[in-house]
Amino acid sequence: MSEVMLHQTQVARVAAVWAEYIARFPDPQSMAASGLDEVIAAWGRLGYPRRARRLWEASVRITDAGWPDDLAELPGVGRYTARATVCQADDVDLAAVEVNIRRVLERVTGRQLTDREAEDASLEVGRPLHGRDRLLALMDLGAIVCKAREPRCADCPLRRRCATRGPLPHEATRRRQAPFAGSFRQRRGAVMARLRSGPAPADELDAEALASLVADGLAERSGRRARLARS
């Protein structure tokens, strides 16, 4: 659950809601029994609420059929999330690469890497660590020392092995997320905030944003009323 919450969301924002969310939904069975609308409402203003729907869908799948051998078979769980989860929960020795780890690996090797190349590089760069320790060490190194801006190269334990000791040229061209203020994401968020308080007249809501939420399976309309999706 924490890995899904951390997708495109800062740790501090997740930490602020984590304790309450895990207390409310301590296992897949309790989440599946709660209903989709309750799971989405509890998600609050964490952002990207489709993640809440995917968590609920995964909880239903687990409740009905048990845990799959490959977590990537669950809704909303990709290769990184599946690998990072088993690394941390079971200390399985798999390579998992997220944005902070990728930055470290590309700077150390001096080139842009494909997903599989980055996984291979993490095994080499992270030696002699393995599993959970390697994943968390590389992640923390990227988040705290090898930052996207103003990297602290003098403090880096990999500085003697690093090919760049600073940003690579391609980092400047990577797409940055558009500002939230005034965006369609903000408009969707405003509609979600209204619906978390209960059903509302559809004609009082942003029609385009509501239609988008309905298409994403996060809201539903019944006549002139709109509400959070129930299934």
Side-chain angles (χ1 to χ4, degrees):
M1 188 184 294
S2 64
E3 282 293 341
V4 173
M5 284 183 159
L6 287 164
H7 291 175
Q8 297 179 285
T9 303
Q10 295 175 335
V11 173
R13 291 188 61 199
V14 174
V17 301
W18 167 254
E20 181 178 350
Y21 208 80
I22 193 65
R24 191 167 185 176
F25 309 114
D27 51 47
Q29 292 72 28
S30 60
M31 178 173 281
S34 296
L36 176 58
D37 54 345
E38 185 177 341
V39 173
I40 294 174
W43 191 259
R45 303 188 66 86
L46 196 56
Y48 301 99
R50 275 175 290 191
R51 294 178 294 172
R53 181 179 180 91
R54 296 294 177 260
L55 274 175
W56 178 80
E57 291 172 345
S59 73
V60 172
R61 163 87 180 266
I62 294 166
T63 299
D64 290 344
W67 289 91
D69 292 334
D70 182 357
L71 297 184
E73 295 177 12
L74 295 173
V77 178
R79 182 178 177 86
Y80 164 75
T81 302
R83 286 174 161 242
T85 298
V86 296
C87 277
Q88 294 176 81
D90 301 319
D91 201 21
V92 176
D93 193 22
L94 289 176
V97 178
E98 47 79 78
V99 63
N100 289 305
I101 294 176
R102 175 179 292 278
R103 184 167 57 252
V104 171
L105 299 175
E106 290 187 342
R107 288 175 178 176
V108 169
T109 59
R111 65 188 182 92
Q112 194 167 3
L113 302 171
T114 66
D115 291 343
R116 297 306 172 88
E117 287 174 340
E119 289 176 355
D120 291 342
S122 75
L123 301 180
E124 176 64 27
V125 173
R127 287 179 181 171
L129 301 177
H130 68 275
R132 181 190 304 117
D133 290 342
R134 182 182 60 235
L135 173 72
L136 297 180
L138 290 174
M139 191 183 300
D140 285 350
L141 185 64
I144 300 170
V145 178
C146 192
K147 299 179 179 181
R149 300 180 183 180
E150 300 181 2
R152 295 163 46 194
C153 296
D155 299 326
C156 182
L158 300 176
R159 62 186 179 279
R160 293 183 179 178
R161 301 170 54 188
C162 185
T164 61
R165 298 190 183 180
L168 287 161
H170 73 266
E171 292 183 37
T173 62
R174 279 183 171 156
R175 182 181 176 185
R176 298 188 182 279
Q177 190 176 64
F180 178 71
S183 68
F184 190 56
R185 288 183 295 129
Q186 185 181 44
R187 290 165 56 191
R188 279 169 52 104
V191 174
M192 286 293 292
R194 178 75 182 275
L195 296 181
R196 282 197 299 272
S197 300
D203 60 4
E204 294 181 5
L205 305 173
D206 183 320
E208 187 179 9
L210 175 59
S212 174
L213 293 169
V214 170
D216 284 345
L218 299 172
E220 57 189 32
R221 290 190 60 167
S222 178
R224 297 181 179 180
R225 306 285 288 179
R227 57 163 296 151
L228 294 178
R230 288 172 289 187
S231 61

